[in-house]
């Protein structure tokens, strides 16, 4: 497996971090990711991240669930083996709607979890890539990807230090 | 500019709406004058009562939502809470109109008020209603009506006093008091006003029929409308340079509530329909029989306007943040829920179709113009439109979703 290299700048204050992100975006520096121990409001907008398309995936999964439930019930109850239940029509749409609803929720729920794992590169038995254990406690980090191109490393570390990073180091996985 | 100025152009627009509605109403009357299939008297009463009940529940829904968010320590709505209070400002008028209806037209509206139904041996004797006579009798009805309507008004005026006091000299004590009022309002509205109110004032129009879901169903319907009115008012004020610090995050929140209330309404509408359809008990199916014979277009249109259209259009995030979509969809939903209240009340009184005509449209336009006028007039009385002295105002300023 090829190694991944990151340049990490650790910050101890979220306002300094937000300021650093703003400047990095302004100078067209391509950040790999930002890590925070708690949700920081407005960080996605500042990073100019594109919004997730997970909802669209959820909608498609949900639609698949609706169609699955409907076609199975329609085929079984109305086409393949029609049985008279209490004088109701064999194509009893109102009675199927709760099941169609449940299938929609089930498919979109499970599908979105799996998509989320796939998008975040998570799977059972994955070796955790921990940048720094303090990131779950009181530290914030901006990382730059150095795997392919590390020519502007000194530039970037200088930038991070100037923005108030308490520590700048390199991390390999 | 922190006080809403109810301009004369807005006033004249609403007055024109009122007059236009009256003209439509008059045309409707003229075309139906020689039509003897339905009593004209009943049609007018049923249509006016529909709009009055509709606006009453919209006012109650506004008070309920204000209480619920306050009790949940919500902060985002602080800048627009005066609008909620202004929607509730129609309550004194709708309550007054309702009392007039109960006093004058109770025999036209409520079949069960006729005394001959309960005299054994008389040709009108109704065994089912006689067994319900302990509940469905005028004495109990009036006692409940006075207590429930009185409490509604008391809650509204307590809210109004509290928030006006908070504008003048804010204190944590007043805020705690508002939370106490909120807690009381939720319990009283949910278990008192809404429960018994819907049984007495809407469900008892069809006294043989009952549904345990009718209560929430009414409030869900009114809530969806209330959120649409709130959304449109927020945008209206914003475009007229009021509420400087309200931004797309706030109306996105309201948009989410429109979407949620529409889905919740659909859930209840469908559950009520499906259980009755599945059980197939004659005394329950009579409700839908009356609505599907002669009123089937409105009955199914209801579902399209209030579920299919909002669901498909408001599901995207961007649709709730760009404000034109929710304004158009919101107007559709307001009309759609008028049809919902229409199907609750009119098909029972004007049986077999033909109850929806220009009389109803005219009544809806003219009476809703009056209520919008009253709301905006109430809003213009508040000196601090965005509640800038409320302890949670910072949270509202910095609301972000």
């Amino acid at each position: 497996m090829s190694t991944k290299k990151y340049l990490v700048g650790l910050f101890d204050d979220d306002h300094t971090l937000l300021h650093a992100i703003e400047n990095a975006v302004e100078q067209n520096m391509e950040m790999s990711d930002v890590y925070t121990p708690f949700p920081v409001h407005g960080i996605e907008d500042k990073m100019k991240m594109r919004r997730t398309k997970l909802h669209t995936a959820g909608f498609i999964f949900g639609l698949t669930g609706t169609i699955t439930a409907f076609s199975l019930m329609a085929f079984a109850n109305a086409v393949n083996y029609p049985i008279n239940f209490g004088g109701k029509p064999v194509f009893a749409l109102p009675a199927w709607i709760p099941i169609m609803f449940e299938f929609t929720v089930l498919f979109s729920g499970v599908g979105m979890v799996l998509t989320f794992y796939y998008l975040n590169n998570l799977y059972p038995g994955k070796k955790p890539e921990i940048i720094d254990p303090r990131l779950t406690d009181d530290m914030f980090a901006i990382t730059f990807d150095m795997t392919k191109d590390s020519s502007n490393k000194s530039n970037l570390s200088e930038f991070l230090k100037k923005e108030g990073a308490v520590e700048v180091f390199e991390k390999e996985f | 500019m922190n006080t809403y100025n109810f301009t004369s152009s807005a006033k004249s627009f609403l007055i024109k709406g009122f007059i236009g509605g009256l003209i439509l109403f008059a045309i409707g009357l003229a075309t139906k004058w020689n039509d003897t299939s339905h009593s004209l008297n009943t049609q007018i009463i049923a249509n006016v009562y529909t709009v009055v009940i509709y606006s009453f529940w919209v006012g109650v829904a506004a008070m309920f939502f204000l209480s619920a968010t306050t009790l949940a320590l919500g902060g985002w709505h602080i800048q627009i809470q005066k609008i909620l209070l202004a929607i509730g400002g129609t309550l004194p008028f709708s309550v007054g109109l309702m009392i007039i209806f109960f006093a004058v037209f109770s025999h036209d509206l409520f079949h069960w008020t006729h005394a001959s139904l309960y005299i054994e041996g008389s040709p009108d004797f109704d065994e089912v209603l006689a067994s319900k006579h302990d509940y469905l009798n005028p004495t109990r009805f009036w006692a409940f009506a006075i207590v429930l309507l009185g409490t509604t008004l008391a809650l509204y005026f307590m809210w109004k006093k509290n928030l006006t006091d908070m504008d003048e000299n804010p204190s944590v004590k007043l805020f705690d008091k508002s939370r106490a009022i909120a807690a009381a309002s939720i319990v009283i509205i949910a278990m008192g006003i809404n429960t018994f109110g819907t049984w007495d004032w809407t469900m008892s129009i069809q006294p043989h029929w009952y549904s345990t879901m009718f209560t929430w169903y009414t409030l869900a319907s009114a809530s969806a409308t209330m959120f649409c009115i709130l959304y449109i008012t927020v945008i209206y004020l914003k475009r007229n340079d009021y509420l400087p610090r309200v931004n797309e995050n706030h109306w996105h929140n309201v948009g989410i509530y429109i979407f949620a209330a529409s889905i919740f309404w659909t859930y209840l509408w469908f559950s009520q329909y499906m259980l009755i359809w599945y059980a197939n008990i004659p005394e329950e199916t009579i409700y839908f029989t009356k609505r599907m014979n002669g009123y089937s277009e409105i009955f199914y249109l209801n579902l399209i306007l209030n579920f299919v259209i909002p669901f498909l259009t408001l599901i995207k995030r961007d649709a709730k943040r760009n404000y034109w979509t929710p304004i158009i969809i919101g107007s559709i939903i307001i009309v759609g829920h008028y049809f919902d209240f229409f199907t609750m009340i009119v098909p029972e009184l004007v049986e077999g179709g033909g109850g929806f005509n220009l009389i109803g449209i005219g009544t809806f336009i003219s009476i809703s113009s009056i209520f919008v006028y009253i709301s905006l007039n109430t809003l213009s009385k508040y000196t601090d439109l965005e509640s800038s002295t409320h302890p949670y105002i910072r949270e509202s300023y910095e609301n972000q979703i």
Side-chain angles (χ1 to χ4, degrees), chain B residues 10-23:
Chain B
K11 278 180 189 167
S12 73
F13 178 77
L14 289 170
I15 291 168
K16 274 177 204 155
F18 174 67
I19 294 168
L22 278 188
I23 292 169

Side-chain angles (χ1 to χ4, degrees), chain B residues 344-357:
Chain B
M344 283 181 207
I345 293 168
V346 179
E348 189 67 31
L349 298 166
V350 189
E351 282 182 53
F356 183 68
N357 48 46

Side-chain angles (χ1 to χ4, degrees), chain B residues 335-347:
Chain B
V335 176
H337 282 288
Y338 166 69
F339 285 141
D340 189 30
F341 275 84
F342 183 90
T343 49
M344 283 181 207
I345 293 168
V346 179

Side-chain angles (χ1 to χ4, degrees), chain B residues 1-21:
Chain B
M1 223 159 60
N2 206 7
T3 309
Y4 172 63
N5 176 19
F6 192 13
T7 55
S8 53
S9 67
K11 278 180 189 167
S12 73
F13 178 77
L14 289 170
I15 291 168
K16 274 177 204 155
F18 174 67
I19 294 168

Side-chain angles (χ1 to χ4, degrees), chain B residues 14-57:
Chain B
L14 289 170
I15 291 168
K16 274 177 204 155
F18 174 67
I19 294 168
L22 278 188
I23 292 169
L24 286 179
F25 179 77
I27 297 171
L29 274 189
T31 51
K32 289 277 164 182
W33 197 258
N34 294 319
D35 187 353
T36 49
S37 57
H38 298 297
S39 144
L40 208 53
N41 189 22
T42 318
Q43 283 197 44
I44 296 170
I45 291 167
N47 278 311
V48 178
Y49 187 67
T50 305
V51 187
V52 171
I53 280 286
Y54 187 27
S55 54
F56 173 77
W57 288 117

Side-chain angles (χ1 to χ4, degrees), chain B residues 142-155:
Chain B
W142 272 106
F144 272 47
I146 288 165
V147 171
L148 296 176
L149 293 175
T151 337
T152 316
L153 289 184
L155 288 175

